[in-house]
PDB file of all heavy atoms in Angstrom:
ATOM      1  N   PHE A 213     109.233  70.029 119.851  1.00 97.00           N
ATOM      2  CA  PHE A 213     109.952  71.274 119.562  1.00 97.00           C
ATOM      3  C   PHE A 213     111.398  71.043 119.131  1.00 97.00           C
ATOM      4  O   PHE A 213     111.980  71.866 118.430  1.00 97.00           O
ATOM      5  CB  PHE A 213     109.927  72.214 120.786  1.00 97.00           C
ATOM      6  CG  PHE A 213     108.542  72.656 121.156  1.00 97.00           C
ATOM      7  CD1 PHE A 213     108.119  72.657 122.479  1.00 97.00           C
ATOM      8  CD2 PHE A 213     107.647  73.077 120.183  1.00 97.00           C
ATOM      9  CE1 PHE A 213     106.836  73.060 122.824  1.00 97.00           C
ATOM     10  CE2 PHE A 213     106.357  73.482 120.512  1.00 97.00           C
ATOM     11  CZ  PHE A 213     105.950  73.472 121.837  1.00 97.00           C
ATOM     12  N   ALA A 226     117.405  91.851 112.271  1.00 94.00           N
ATOM     13  CA  ALA A 226     118.673  91.430 112.877  1.00 94.00           C
ATOM     14  C   ALA A 226     119.581  92.652 113.084  1.00 94.00           C
ATOM     15  O   ALA A 226     120.264  92.774 114.112  1.00 94.00           O
ATOM     16  CB  ALA A 226     119.361  90.405 111.981  1.00 94.00           C
ATOM     17  N   ALA A 307      90.445  95.008 106.072  1.00 98.00           N
ATOM     18  CA  ALA A 307      91.429  95.547 107.021  1.00 98.00           C
ATOM     19  C   ALA A 307      92.353  94.406 107.423  1.00 98.00           C
ATOM     20  O   ALA A 307      91.924  93.254 107.543  1.00 98.00           O
ATOM     21  CB  ALA A 307      90.721  96.117 108.238  1.00 98.00           C
ATOM     22  N   ARG A 323      97.484  82.637  95.588  1.00 98.00           N
ATOM     23  CA  ARG A 323      97.723  81.187  95.591  1.00 98.00           C
ATOM     24  C   ARG A 323      96.403  80.420  95.494  1.00 98.00           C
ATOM     25  O   ARG A 323      96.297  79.404  94.819  1.00 98.00           O
ATOM     26  CB  ARG A 323      98.471  80.804  96.864  1.00 98.00           C
ATOM     27  CG  ARG A 323      98.982  79.382  96.844  1.00 98.00           C
ATOM     28  CD  ARG A 323      99.784  79.065  98.060  1.00 98.00           C
ATOM     29  NE  ARG A 323      99.015  79.247  99.292  1.00 98.00           N
ATOM     30  CZ  ARG A 323      99.405  78.805 100.479  1.00 98.00           C
ATOM     31  NH1 ARG A 323     100.564  78.192 100.596  1.00 98.00           N
ATOM     32  NH2 ARG A 323      98.676  79.003 101.544  1.00 98.00           N
ATOM     33  N   LEU A 348     105.109  80.631 101.643  1.00 98.00           N
ATOM     34  CA  LEU A 348     103.843  80.158 101.067  1.00 98.00           C
ATOM     35  C   LEU A 348     104.068  79.258  99.853  1.00 98.00           C
ATOM     36  O   LEU A 348     103.112  78.820  99.230  1.00 98.00           O
ATOM     37  CB  LEU A 348     102.972  81.357 100.665  1.00 98.00           C
ATOM     38  CG  LEU A 348     102.444  82.218 101.819  1.00 98.00           C
ATOM     39  CD1 LEU A 348     101.684  83.425 101.277  1.00 98.00           C
ATOM     40  CD2 LEU A 348     101.531  81.400 102.730  1.00 98.00           C
ATOM     41  N   ASP A 407     100.834  99.046  79.871  1.00 98.00           N
ATOM     42  CA  ASP A 407     100.558  98.497  78.528  1.00 98.00           C
ATOM     43  C   ASP A 407     101.034  97.039  78.451  1.00 98.00           C
ATOM     44  O   ASP A 407     100.354  96.184  77.882  1.00 98.00           O
ATOM     45  CB  ASP A 407     101.242  99.339  77.446  1.00 98.00           C
ATOM     46  CG  ASP A 407     100.616 100.721  77.336  1.00 98.00           C
ATOM     47  OD1 ASP A 407      99.502 100.917  77.882  1.00 98.00           O
ATOM     48  OD2 ASP A 407     101.233 101.624  76.736  1.00 98.00           O
ATOM     49  N   GLY A 498      93.986 101.185 115.456  1.00 98.00           N
ATOM     50  CA  GLY A 498      94.641 102.043 114.465  1.00 98.00           C
ATOM     51  C   GLY A 498      93.693 102.414 113.337  1.00 98.00           C
ATOM     52  O   GLY A 498      93.665 103.556 112.868  1.00 98.00           O
ATOM     53  N   GLN A 551     117.798 112.755  94.222  1.00 97.00           N
ATOM     54  CA  GLN A 551     116.772 112.370  93.231  1.00 97.00           C
ATOM     55  C   GLN A 551     115.838 111.273  93.772  1.00 97.00           C
ATOM     56  O   GLN A 551     114.675 111.226  93.410  1.00 97.00           O
ATOM     57  CB  GLN A 551     117.415 111.814  91.939  1.00 97.00           C
ATOM     58  CG  GLN A 551     118.562 112.616  91.366  1.00 97.00           C
ATOM     59  CD  GLN A 551     118.143 114.033  91.051  1.00 97.00           C
ATOM     60  OE1 GLN A 551     117.036 114.252  90.600  1.00 97.00           O
ATOM     61  NE2 GLN A 551     119.008 114.988  91.317  1.00 97.00           N
TER      62      GLN A 551
END
Side-chain angles (χ1 to χ4, degrees):
F213 297 135
R323 190 176 59 167
L348 293 176
D407 292 345
Q551 313 302 322

